[in-house]
């Protein structure tokens, strides 16, 4: 049976026990086909296992048939590229700079280079970091939880420090604390630009089209992840100090994502001060709870934007996400054109209770441990596909990365047209956990709970396993894999099973030892995002050209001839863009900050951003706004 989204699903093979065992080498799928799934289990169980699956076959058929029906999401169809010419896989972009507004940009660049502007910008970011807009998973809706009140302080800070924005842009509040700013353009026929971020803390040839096709959206979030109280003493500076030490700006949210919030507002404030009046409408959207899934801010902003502007109303959307990989002799920028899906599995075990002095052979916690171990022994198998962003990013990296060894560079090149080389490349790359995570579906057991007292048998235990779903897979494929992996453990411990709504009560004994329920932990399953095209897409060309210009004119590198490659990337996590798929086909997740510009990364102790990197982020927002305003390729 073949599913509607191109996954080769052999139902009989699944029913006969088709899970790859740890250490087993699988045959590679048809690599040139977009209809093969890297997550399909393929081994065949033997002996009594086969007989047991045959015994349960009527029940399993109903389960698996319900799981393999996959919802079809709109998805860009990238061509399969087998050309030996690397430039066909990683087309070179040209720097794009504003021409109509060249003098304006020159004035702004002079201003941005002054010590006064820099110090003021550092203070603006530091002041926002000082406001602890922490986001907790258990927060009730605004108005029912006092922990939201701190967002009032941030809003007052924005209004008082960005005077021109406050006066000139139309502000709309969404669900009390979400913010949408509308900067009206002079030409109402042009699609707007949308820029997004979040307000709080928590984390690789141009087409000519009419100007009458562009609006731009910028989405940003204002929430941050909380600071673990036990770690406060390990910070070099207090976590909400916003300290600039002469090099770094410190504090929770200094990397994720208050630079996006303050950087975009600073760019617009300076443009307004210079009297700039856009042709193209610009919309800013600042979410409030991206760090817990955007259930209040992201959904509310989506509903408002769809109501106010309509579906597919924006020329492009730029959100946080992809970064720069900056070396002294080359730069690779990876705006994310794709975002993995998401599924949290809840495994709940119920067994009889009693006194611990007369225990059964296995308690609910012991059975749960066996289930977790079985999942971890049978991970999803990653694969490289030539029509996915990660493969293109590898080709681009091979062109410019000075640290890549020649053997790997040669293998990446040959993989464009040789299936054997592609399989060899997989074998080498997937020794690295990051490469496996970028290419395939991941699973991580993050929460375990069971038992209430040392002398009482645990009647209930549960674990939650987080899955990040590869673009070539689906929620249904993940569920099918989980059910197939765990069925032998269900048999071993004589359990009844409710697998995602399908009840499977075996007849191996008259009385089962317990019950296992598999479910969506929070009801938040998310399919992989539609992929934004990166080949012959004017919006991608505009973004890539802007990135090249910003890097090559940056005082940080002081080298207009520095090699710069822009390659499509994939987000392994999720942003509020999950709610914005219907607003535009051109969604880019990109923050123009290198990992080397972050002292210790985001969501951890000693979060800090390199101050000079923040100035370049302001430059990026300025130039992308000016380029979009006068672009003839969108």
């Amino acid at each position: 049976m073949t599913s509607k989204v191109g996954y080769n699903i052999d139902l009989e093979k699944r029913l006969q026990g088709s899970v790859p065992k740890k250490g087993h080498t699988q045959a590679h799928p048809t690599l040139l086909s977009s209809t093969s799934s890297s997550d399909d289990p393929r081994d065949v169980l033997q002996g009594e296992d086969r007989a047991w699956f045959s015994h349960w076959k009527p029940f399993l058929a109903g389960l698996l048939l319900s799981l393999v029906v996959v919802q079809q999401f709109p998805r860009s169809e990238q061509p399969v590229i087998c050309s030996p010419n690397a430039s066909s896989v990683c087309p070179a972009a040209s720097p794009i700079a504003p021409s109509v507004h060249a003098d304006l940009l020159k004035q702004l660049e002079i201003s941005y280079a002054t010590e006064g502007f820099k110090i003021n910008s550092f203070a603006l970011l530091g002041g926002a970091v000082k406001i602890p807009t922490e986001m907790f998973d258990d927060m009730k809706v605004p108005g029912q939880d006092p922990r939201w009140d701190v967002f009032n302080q941030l809003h007052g800070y924005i209004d008082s420090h960005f005077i021109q924005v406050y006066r000139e842009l139309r502000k709309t509040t969404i669900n009390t604390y979400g913010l949408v700013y509308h900067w009206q353009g002079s030409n109402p026929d042009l699609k707007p630009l949308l820029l997004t971020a979040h307000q709080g803390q928590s984390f690789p040839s141009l087409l000519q089209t009419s100007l009458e096709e562009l609006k731009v959206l910028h989405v940003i979030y204002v929430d941050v992840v909380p600071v673990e109280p036990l770690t406060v003493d390990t910070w070099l500076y207090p976590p909400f100090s916003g300290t600039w030490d002469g090099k770094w700006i410190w504090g929770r949210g200094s990397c994720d994502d208050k630079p996006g919030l303050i950087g975009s507002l600073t760019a617009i404030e300076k443009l307004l001060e210079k009297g700039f009046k856009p042709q193209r409408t610009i919309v800013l959207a600042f979410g409030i709870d991206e760090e817990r899934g955007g259930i209040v801010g992201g959904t509310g902003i989506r509903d408002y934007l769809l109501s106010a502007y309509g579906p597919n109303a924006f020329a492009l959307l730029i959100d946080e996400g992809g970064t720069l990989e900056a070396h002294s002799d080359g730069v690779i920028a990876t705006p994310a054109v794709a975002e993995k899906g998401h599924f949290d599995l809840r495994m709940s075990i119920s067994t009889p209770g009693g006194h611990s002095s007369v225990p059964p052979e296995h308690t609910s916690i012991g059975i749960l441990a066996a289930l977790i171990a079985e999942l971890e022994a049978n991970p999803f198998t990653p694969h490289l596909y030539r029509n996915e962003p990660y493969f293109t990013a590898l080709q681009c990296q091979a062109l410019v990365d000075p640290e890549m060894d020649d053997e790997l560079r040669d293998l990446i090149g040959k993989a464009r047209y040789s299936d054997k080389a592609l399989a060899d490349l997989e074998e080498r790359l997937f020794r690295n956990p990051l490469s496996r995570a970028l290419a395939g579906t991941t699973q991580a057991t993050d929460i375990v709970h069971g038992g209430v007292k040392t002398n009482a048998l645990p009647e209930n235990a549960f674990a939650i396993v987080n899955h990040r779903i590869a673009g070539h897979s689906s929620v249904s494929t993940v569920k099918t894999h989980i059910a197939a992996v765990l069925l032998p453990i269900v048999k071993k411990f004589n359990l009844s099973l409710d697998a995602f709504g399908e009840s499977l009560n075996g007849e191996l004994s008259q009385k089962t030892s317990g019950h296992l329920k598999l479910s969506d932990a929070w009801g938040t399953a998310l399919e992989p995002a539609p992929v934004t095209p990166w080949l012959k897409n004017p919006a991608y060309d505009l973004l890539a050209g802007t990135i090249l210009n910003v890097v090559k004119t940056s005082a940080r590198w002081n080298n207009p001839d520095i090699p710069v490659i822009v390659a499509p990337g994939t987000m392994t996590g999720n942003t509020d863009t999950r709610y914005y798929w219907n607003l535009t086909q051109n969604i880019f997740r990109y923050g123009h900050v290198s990992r080397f510009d972050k002292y210790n990364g985001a969501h951890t102790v000693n979060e800090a951003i390199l101050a000079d990197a923040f100035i370049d982020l302001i430059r990026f927002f300025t130039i992308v706004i000016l380029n979009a305003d006068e672009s003839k390729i969108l």
Side-chain angles (χ1 to χ4, degrees):
M1 177 179 179
T2 302
S3 77
K4 294 183 179 180
V5 293
Y7 297 101
N8 295 327
I9 298 176
D10 183 340
L11 185 57
E12 283 298 314
K13 185 178 272 189
R14 287 182 179 277
L15 295 179
Q16 293 174 355
S18 49
V19 182
K21 297 304 179 186
K22 189 175 183 179
H24 180 83
T25 301
Q26 295 188 42
H28 198 289
T30 305
L31 292 167
L32 294 181
S33 172
S34 63
T35 62
S36 60
S37 170
S38 66
D39 295 333
D40 286 347
R42 297 168 207 172
D43 272 0
V44 178
L45 298 181
Q46 304 295 324
E48 63 171 329
D49 285 332
R50 182 190 296 271
W52 183 80
F53 274 99
S54 178
H55 175 82
W56 280 39
K57 184 172 180 178
F59 300 98
L60 297 177
L63 166 68
L64 294 176
L65 283 171
S66 70
L67 296 182
V68 299
V69 178
V70 181
Q71 183 176 355
Q72 175 70 65
F73 280 80
R75 184 177 301 278
S76 303
E77 298 201 354
Q78 303 294 341
V80 175
I81 298 171
C82 303
S83 168
N85 182 2
S87 63
S88 65
V89 182
C90 186
S94 299
I96 298 177
S99 56
V100 175
H101 305 299
D103 290 341
L104 170 59
L105 179 58
K106 183 178 180 179
Q107 295 174 36
L108 289 171
E109 292 278 34
I110 293 172
S111 174
Y112 294 167
T114 64
E115 286 301 307
F117 174 83
K118 292 181 179 179
I119 292 173
N120 183 64
S121 298
F122 303 157
L124 283 171
L125 178 56
V129 170
K130 289 179 180 179
I131 303 171
T133 51
E134 295 176 287
M135 181 52 50
F136 300 88
D137 288 343
D138 63 344
M139 288 175 69
K140 298 177 182 178
V141 297
Q144 299 181 17
D145 194 319
R147 288 175 291 181
W148 286 102
D149 293 348
V150 69
F151 284 87
N152 287 320
Q153 185 180 348
L154 180 61
H155 291 186
Y157 181 85
I158 292 172
D159 291 345
S160 63
H161 287 80
F162 298 96
I163 305 299
Q164 298 300 322
V165 171
Y166 179 76
R167 291 175 178 171
E168 301 294 332
L169 272 62
R170 186 177 74 239
K171 182 176 76 171
T172 303
T173 57
I174 309 297
N175 288 338
T176 308
Y177 297 113
L179 296 174
V180 174
Y181 290 91
H182 176 100
W183 191 3
Q184 181 63 47
S186 60
N187 187 343
D189 294 330
L190 304 183
K191 283 187 174 183
L193 167 68
L194 177 58
L195 305 177
T196 70
H198 62 92
Q199 304 174 56
Q201 292 97 330
S202 53
F203 136 94
S205 89
L206 303 182
L207 301 181
Q208 299 300 317
T209 305
S210 170
L211 272 174
E212 297 179 354
E213 299 179 0
L214 178 64
K215 287 183 182 176
V216 185
L217 173 64
H218 180 54
V219 185
I220 297 178
Y221 320 105
V222 296
D223 57 306
V224 298
V225 297
V227 173
E228 167 57 56
L230 295 177
T231 68
V232 170
D233 291 342
T234 66
W235 285 71
L236 296 176
Y237 295 89
F240 292 105
S241 65
T243 299
W244 172 52
D245 66 359
K247 183 177 181 179
W248 301 90
I249 303 168
W250 297 84
R252 174 66 85 235
S254 60
C255 292
D256 184 12
D257 179 33
K258 286 186 174 174
L261 171 72
I262 301 301
S264 58
L265 286 170
T266 300
I268 290 178
E269 183 79 3
K270 298 305 292 185
L271 286 166
L272 286 167
E273 288 178 0
K274 292 293 184 180
F276 173 70
K277 298 184 182 300
Q279 293 187 80
R280 193 177 323 285
T281 295
I282 298 167
V283 178
L284 308 178
F286 300 152
I288 51 177
D289 59 346
E290 187 265 357
E291 297 295 358
R292 66 164 186 173
I295 56 179
V296 173
T299 57
I301 290 173
R302 171 202 61 199
D303 294 343
Y304 170 76
L305 293 176
L306 283 173
S307 175
Y309 299 91
N312 197 30
F314 296 91
L316 67 150
L317 183 161
I318 302 174
D319 191 16
E320 65 168 335
T323 64
L324 294 167
E325 286 294 325
H327 307 271
S328 60
D329 49 2
V331 176
I332 305 173
T334 53
V337 299
E339 190 170 278
K340 298 181 87 171
H342 179 107
F343 178 70
D344 287 317
L345 164 70
R346 182 184 179 105
M347 299 188 294
S348 301
I349 286 282
S350 302
T351 57
H355 200 283
S356 296
S357 61
V358 188
E361 185 177 0
H362 303 284
T363 69
S364 61
I365 294 175
I367 296 172
L368 183 63
L371 291 165
I372 294 172
E374 190 71 5
L375 282 178
E376 293 191 346
N378 294 279
F380 295 84
T381 304
H383 283 303
L384 293 174
Y385 292 88
R386 293 186 177 96
N387 59 350
E388 289 194 331
Y390 183 46
F391 183 80
T392 298
L394 289 171
Q395 300 298 321
C396 296
Q397 184 180 1
L399 292 176
V400 72
D401 189 350
E403 298 178 3
M404 181 178 290
D405 66 75
D406 291 339
E407 181 182 350
L408 179 58
R409 196 186 312 276
D410 182 62
L411 194 57
I412 290 173
K414 291 179 178 178
R416 292 194 299 273
Y417 50 88
S418 166
D419 281 1
K420 180 182 184 304
L422 188 57
D424 291 344
L425 179 60
E426 286 186 346
E427 193 279 328
R428 173 160 179 178
L429 284 178
F430 296 160
R431 302 171 194 168
N432 184 305
L434 176 59
S435 295
R436 293 199 300 271
L438 288 171
T441 298
T442 61
Q443 59 183 15
T445 304
D446 295 324
I447 298 176
V448 177
H449 180 80
V452 296
K453 203 173 186 301
T454 57
N455 63 351
L457 295 174
E459 294 175 306
N460 298 284
F462 72 87
I464 295 178
V465 185
N466 176 259
H467 296 80
R468 302 298 173 132
I469 306 173
H472 55 261
S473 188
S474 67
V475 173
S476 290
T477 302
V478 169
K479 289 181 176 180
T480 300
H481 175 91
I482 292 167
V485 167
L486 295 182
L487 282 171
I489 305 301
V490 170
K491 170 210 168 179
K492 177 180 178 180
F493 291 102
N494 191 34
L495 305 173
S496 60
L497 172 64
D498 178 345
F500 310 110
E502 289 289 331
S503 296
L504 305 177
N505 298 308
E507 301 174 1
L508 297 179
S509 65
Q510 293 183 348
K511 183 178 180 181
T512 61
S513 300
H515 180 70
L516 169 64
K517 182 178 180 179
L518 306 177
S519 63
D520 182 342
W522 320 112
T524 56
L526 179 71
E527 298 289 349
V531 178
T532 297
W534 66 90
L535 294 174
K536 298 182 179 180
N537 179 1
Y540 181 86
D541 293 340
L542 176 81
L543 179 61
T546 299
I547 294 169
L548 263 67
N549 180 34
V550 175
V551 172
K552 288 178 173 290
T553 58
S554 171
R556 298 178 63 200
W557 285 277
N558 195 27
N559 180 9
D561 298 321
I562 188 171
V564 182
I565 292 290
V566 180
T570 299
M571 286 284 287
T572 57
N574 297 118
T575 65
D576 275 357
T577 59
R578 75 184 78 182
Y579 302 113
Y580 305 148
W581 296 353
N582 290 332
L583 293 174
T584 178
Q585 296 180 353
N586 297 311
I587 298 177
F588 302 105
R589 306 151 188 92
Y590 181 70
H592 201 76
V593 176
S594 167
R595 61 187 175 96
F596 303 111
D597 297 331
K598 301 174 182 180
Y599 185 86
N600 199 31
H603 295 200
T604 187
V605 299
N606 293 320
E607 183 176 344
I609 187 173
L610 192 67
D612 286 344
F614 179 55
I615 299 300
D616 259 3
L617 182 59
I618 296 171
R619 295 182 60 244
F620 168 75
F621 283 126
T622 302
I623 296 174
V624 78
I625 289 171
L626 294 176
N627 278 343
D629 194 66
E630 60 184 65
S631 173
K632 292 182 173 60
I633 64 171
L634 287 165

